[in-house]
Amino acid sequence: MNGDHAPDRLDELLRQLDELRDPDLDPELEAVRTAVLLEDSLDITLTDDEISPDVLSDPAAVRQVVASRDGGRT
Amino acid sequence: MCGICGIVSTEAPPDLGLLRRMMGRIGHRGPDGNGWFRDRYAALGHNRLAIIDPECGAQPMCTEDENLWISFNGEVFNYVELGEELRQRGHTFRTASDTEVIVHAWQEWGEGCFSRFNGQWALAIWDRREQRLVLSRDRLGVRPLYFTRTAGGLLFASEVKALFADPSVDRSLDPGGLDQTFTYWSTVAPRTVFRGVEQLEPGHYAVFDRNGLRTAAYWSVEFPERGREPVQDVGANAEALRERLVEAARLRFLRSDVPVGAYLSGGLDSSITAAVIARYTDAPLHTFSLRFSDAEFDEGGYQKQMSALLGTEHQDVVVGPSDVADVFPDVVRHAETPILRAAPAPMFLLSKLVRENGYKVVVTGEGADEVLAGYDIFREAAVRRFWARDPGSAKRVRAAELLYPWMARSPGRAPAFARSFFGRNLDPDDPAMSHRPRWDSTGVIKALLSADMRAEMARADAPDVVSAMPSDAQDWDPLSRGQWLEMKTLLAGYILASQGERMMMAHGVEGRFPFLDRDVVELASTLPARHKLFGLEEKYLLKKAFADLVPAEILRRPKQPYRAPDAASFFGADRPDWVEELTSERAVEAAGVFDPALVSGLMAKCARTGGENMGNTDNMRALAVLSTQITHESFVRTNDWTVAEQALPEAEVAIDLLNENRSV
């Protein structure tokens, strides 16, 4: 999966992530949890601004972040 | 499961009296019978725990031409299929025993037979014509096999205490072995804590003949390059894992001529193995559990829930701190090594319960945490890697709160703890980054060492396990490197040995481990790391694969590491007398491992607190001192073995080719 952020793989990842979402968890921590998973699975590095509920709870925003790394990954 | 031992001697013929004494020292491993064989150069002994073909499976066993003799401990679960293959190649069998299949497999395929075996074994084969001894041990080290070189040959046995039946064998502690134990929690094979005593490495075989001793690997755990795992689809992998685990559990439950029970801890792994057996076999299931009088450690509620769901006949034993202290000396005598936790003691009591209920085989969930990534150490490593990408980030430091929820409730304490624990040795290029915090925190035990022992350890220069990591490991996922280290250290040396096989065999109980099945391990090692540890969700694929068999409460509960009260077991109001005796200045000085004054200070602190509310470091130090002192007292200082040598009943097999006497 590294360096190959195929849309279907990312969809699968987001679907799996959604199944594990904990509604009782502090949204900031949920964002950190999502960031750990995305960085580990996709071999990307997020900025502190991106490790936020606004970005990481929104699948469209996540896709945008990942797309921005393809071809110019940090 | 059984006990094996033997002598190879190029000088005088092997001493039958010594062989019988060796067998007597491991009599607990095989209370159902015994046998021996001797010729001019070798003698093999066998203590039998009869599980397959109880009527005809006595050992040592030989081929029709009486050239190959075998003493075997363990199970090769695919012996039925191997036997069929061998029949097609012209082999004939006199028994229904797995042992006979194994010796024929050696005859047919030589060392190539070991990679065909799916099981857990330690064995010795003596080839009379070639005057050659072959030893072999299973892939992950479920079954133990020790040996020591003597002036004219070699002694081998399932347990070290049998080797010490020979008074000419050196009985001293090995500083290099202690160094490894006080770092990794156990020695790393081939090392042991006894000077001159070696253990055959898991996944290896050894040949001893007139050219000396040679060892070679027939298997080692390997992982694919990160990103190049053969199957990326999580659903397909979950299905494959389920298929292999079901077959592994079925084989382990059904391939036995005596009833098989199951451990039920209340956690995910044993719940799955028990549920698979209940679902996929027709036989009634008897389950056994360990409970604690202290609610902090007890999982009784989950055990009852699972047992009720499966409709098993269920038994448990409730363990309190004084129970741990009572059996601890016996526990160490069976483990034959210092142990840094009291956790093996309740396992000793659990296997006693099993035996008292008439069972001698149990299926358990051991191995799942290593093979499918269940331990906190893997989650901690993921957090450390996340943090290492930007150590200055205020957001990344919060990842530690996902592991330890108390941090979120203690904002004042959390950052300092996180930095001290997660922030140390934060080098992403270190292949052992996952394990440094554990090794560092364990290594503090060494601050208690005597000056002499410190110097001896430096001279011994025990090899660093990291240097044995395969060169292509740099391309593996970091999780795979952590799994490799865990399998090389804690799994083989502690989980399967001190806390596993030894505690079961102390009462003649055989453990069977579906998660360590050859096909399960080989599938698991090819999985993408994220299917095992999905972000911080441990054993993700396992949960997905068996979601329909295990209640949601057990499936979703945070992993509770198996623990028992440590120092608190020994320093309460009913402190056993041996604690004071073995930690006295005289006893500590005699053992020579620790500094008496430092031990005295630690013991005073334990006495003051009753062992309660002590930190991890002091708990570990206290257990290290107590268990090391028992090890020294039992194996080095005294000439009399402190667990009674068993009087053996009449041998079922007694073949003396030296004098051409035989009775079977």
Side-chain angles (χ1 to χ4, degrees):
Chain A
M1 196 150 191
N2 322 325
D4 172 21
H5 306 148
D8 55 339
R9 294 259 176 88
L10 184 57
D11 285 346
E12 182 187 281
L13 205 60
L14 291 171
R15 201 168 44 248
Q16 291 169 257
L17 194 58
D18 202 44
E19 285 168 14
L20 293 175
R21 214 171 281 283
D22 177 357
D24 299 328
L25 192 63
D26 164 12
E28 292 283 345
L29 266 184
E30 183 68 54
V32 171
R33 192 163 86 132
T34 304
V36 172
L37 190 141
L38 290 176
E39 289 195 349
D40 190 46
S41 300
L42 304 177
D43 208 8
I44 59 175
T45 300
L46 303 175
T47 64
D48 266 16
D49 286 345
E50 289 166 338
I51 305 174
S52 107
D54 293 344
V55 177
L56 297 183
S57 64
D58 174 4
V62 171
R63 282 196 185 86
Q64 202 172 354
V65 168
V66 173
S68 75
R69 297 305 192 277
D70 281 335
R73 292 206 334 265
T74 51
Chain B
M1 206 52 48
C2 310
I4 65 172
C5 60
I7 305 166
V8 178
S9 172
T10 54
E11 296 178 346
D15 177 355
L16 211 45
L18 171 60
L19 185 75
R20 298 285 289 170
R21 287 199 304 280
M22 291 171 77
M23 291 165 66
R25 291 192 175 203
I26 51 173
H28 52 274
R29 298 182 65 91
D32 297 334
N34 72 90
W36 55 268
F37 152 86
R38 174 172 75 157
D39 70 7
R40 165 63 187 82
Y41 296 103
L44 305 181
H46 190 262
N47 300 89
R48 186 168 190 223
L49 187 65
I51 290 169
I52 292 177
D53 194 6
E55 297 303 315
C56 303
Q59 297 186 49
M61 198 178 271
C62 65
T63 47
E64 296 89 333
D65 62 1
E66 298 191 354
N67 179 51
L68 297 175
W69 286 82
I70 183 169
S71 187
F72 167 65
N73 164 29
E75 308 293 346
V76 170
F77 295 111
N78 59 339
Y79 75 97
V80 175
E81 292 76 11
L82 289 171
E84 192 48 46
E85 200 177 340
L86 287 163
R87 270 186 207 95
Q88 286 169 11
R89 288 169 174 265
H91 292 259
T92 55
F93 298 96
R94 292 165 291 177
T95 72
S97 150
D98 52 345
T99 308
E100 195 180 4
V101 171
I102 291 160
V103 71
H104 280 262
W106 167 261
Q107 194 175 33
E108 179 68 29
W109 294 303
E111 65 268 20
C113 73
F114 302 127
S115 53
R116 291 171 181 261
F117 293 170
N118 184 0
Q120 46 190 46
W121 71 87
L123 63 82
I125 294 173
W126 174 245
D127 184 327
R128 298 193 64 213
R129 209 170 300 140
E130 299 295 329
Q131 293 171 22
R132 175 182 296 155
L133 178 77
V134 176
L135 304 174
S136 167
R137 196 174 174 203
D138 62 68
R139 290 173 177 77
L140 291 161
V142 175
R143 299 298 156 207
L145 188 48
Y146 297 92
F147 59 90
T148 187
R149 301 160 209 241
T150 58
L154 188 88
L155 300 180
F156 68 87
S158 301
E159 298 186 17
V160 177
K161 52 182 73 71
L163 305 179
F164 288 160
D166 182 344
S168 71
V169 172
D170 180 24
R171 297 156 62 111
S172 59
L173 295 176
D174 177 57
L178 290 175
D179 193 3
Q180 288 187 333
T181 305
F182 298 151
T183 306
Y184 307 131
W185 283 41
S186 75
T187 60
V188 180
R191 202 142 202 153
T192 73
V193 295
F194 300 104
R195 212 188 298 264
V197 175
E198 298 168 65
Q199 54 174 320
L200 185 61
E201 288 180 66
H204 279 62
Y205 67 96
V207 175
F208 182 70
D209 57 19
R210 60 181 72 86
N211 297 316
L213 181 76
R214 315 176 283 292
T215 63
Y218 64 85
W219 183 87
S220 61
V221 64
E222 285 169 8
F223 297 90
E225 184 182 334
R226 177 176 157 91
R228 295 196 180 277
E229 300 85 359
V231 181
Q232 297 288 334
D233 181 74
V234 71
N237 277 333
E239 203 175 306
L241 178 63
R242 179 162 174 142
E243 192 179 303
R244 290 193 185 200
L245 253 175
V246 166
E247 187 54 20
R250 272 169 43 85
L251 270 181
R252 281 154 182 79
F253 189 74
L254 296 175
R255 294 235 159 131
S256 168
D257 292 327
V258 298
V260 177
Y263 278 179
L264 209 48
S265 72
L268 180 68
D269 313 330
S270 60
S271 295
I272 287 175
T273 50
V276 165
I277 290 167
R279 166 76 71 94
Y280 293 96
T281 68
D282 297 329
L285 181 60
H286 196 137
T287 48
F288 300 92
S289 292
L290 184 60
R291 299 200 54 194
F292 288 96
S293 56
D294 185 339
E296 184 188 346
F297 304 104
D298 190 45
E299 299 182 74
Y302 293 109
Q303 295 161 359
K304 281 204 177 108
Q305 183 184 5
M306 200 64 210
S307 153
L309 180 74
L310 301 178
T312 69
E313 193 177 326
H314 189 69
Q315 233 94 32
D316 59 34
V317 57
V318 181
V319 176
S322 63
D323 300 316
V324 171
D326 285 347
V327 299
F328 197 70
D330 270 343
V331 164
V332 176
R333 288 173 197 135
H334 282 283
E336 303 183 312
T337 181
I339 48 180
L340 311 183
R341 285 280 186 266
M347 300 306 286
F348 177 90
L349 293 165
L350 180 58
S351 72
K352 183 165 179 271
L353 174 79
V354 170
R355 191 71 197 196
E356 285 168 353
N357 277 272
Y359 279 74
K360 50 184 175 181
V361 186
V362 283
V363 174
T364 89
E366 252 73 35
D369 289 323
E370 293 81 0
V371 169
L372 293 165
Y375 283 132
D376 271 353
I377 198 168
F378 301 129
R379 302 171 74 227
E380 288 165 0
V383 165
R384 297 180 80 229
R385 285 196 301 277
F386 178 72
W387 195 4
R389 287 173 186 258
D390 181 4
S393 160
K395 290 196 172 171
R396 287 174 187 271
V397 72
R398 291 202 66 195
E401 294 172 35
L402 292 164
L403 300 184
Y404 304 114
W406 64 263
M407 285 186 169
R409 299 189 297 271
S410 307
R413 286 170 62 202
F417 174 83
R419 266 191 297 278
S420 70
F421 186 78
F422 293 98
R424 202 166 43 184
N425 296 331
L426 211 56
D427 174 6
D429 294 329
D430 177 4
M433 181 180 164
S434 55
H435 283 63
R436 295 290 175 205
R438 179 200 284 168
W439 295 346
D440 286 350
S441 64
T442 306
V444 297
I445 293 168
K446 289 183 258 189
L448 291 179
L449 293 173
S450 68
D452 286 350
M453 180 51 69
R454 214 182 287 258
E456 282 195 64
M457 276 188 186
R459 277 196 295 277
D461 195 20
D464 179 354
V465 67
V466 184
S467 63
M469 200 177 262
S471 55
D472 63 350
Q474 61 186 352
D475 299 323
W476 298 351
D477 190 279
L479 175 69
S480 304
R481 291 195 289 269
Q483 288 184 277
W484 187 92
L485 289 167
E486 196 68 357
M487 289 184 197
K488 286 286 172 185
T489 57
L490 204 76
L491 177 66
Y494 177 80
I495 299 288
L496 293 177
S498 304
Q499 192 173 288
E501 208 256 7
R502 297 315 189 77
M503 297 305 106
M504 290 179 171
M505 291 309 292
H507 299 291
V509 173
E510 170 181 303
R512 295 182 170 188
F513 315 112
F515 287 101
L516 297 179
D517 177 272
R518 175 191 64 186
D519 299 337
V520 171
V521 172
E522 287 186 354
L523 171 71
S525 62
T526 66
L527 296 171
R530 69 179 188 286
H531 289 182
K532 290 179 268 190
L533 185 65
F534 185 62
L536 296 177
E537 182 77 12
E538 79 277 5
K539 289 185 286 203
Y540 176 73
L541 198 72
L542 182 66
K543 290 174 183 172
K544 201 169 179 63
F546 290 96
D548 62 320
L549 289 191
V550 179
E553 294 91 327
I554 291 177
L555 205 64
R556 293 194 190 131
R557 66 181 285 222
K559 180 175 172 55
Q560 178 168 331
Y562 166 62
R563 287 171 52 222
D566 288 313
S569 297
F570 303 94
F571 296 94
D574 48 357
R575 170 156 54 147
D577 293 342
W578 61 261
V579 170
E580 203 157 323
E581 285 167 31
L582 288 184
T583 57
S584 68
E585 188 177 333
R586 178 195 52 76
V588 173
E589 201 162 303
V593 177
F594 296 110
D595 181 297
L598 295 175
V599 168
S600 172
L602 176 65
M603 293 300 124
K605 184 175 181 182
C606 291
R608 206 166 48 243
T609 60
E612 297 286 351
N613 302 317
M614 291 175 64
N616 179 53
T617 300
D618 281 339
N619 267 309
M620 220 162 29
R621 283 175 165 168
L623 268 290
V625 168
L626 294 174
S627 59
T628 302
Q629 290 298 112
I630 294 170
T631 304
H632 180 265
E633 180 72 14
S634 303
F635 296 98
V636 177
R637 193 185 75 79
T638 55
N639 284 319
D640 301 323
W641 169 237
T642 46
V643 164
E645 188 171 305
Q646 293 194 3
L648 296 172
E650 190 180 346
E652 295 169 293
V653 177
I655 307 284
D656 192 355
L657 296 183
L658 185 66
N659 299 311
E660 283 299 329
N661 289 330
R662 57 180 63 209
S663 77
V664 179

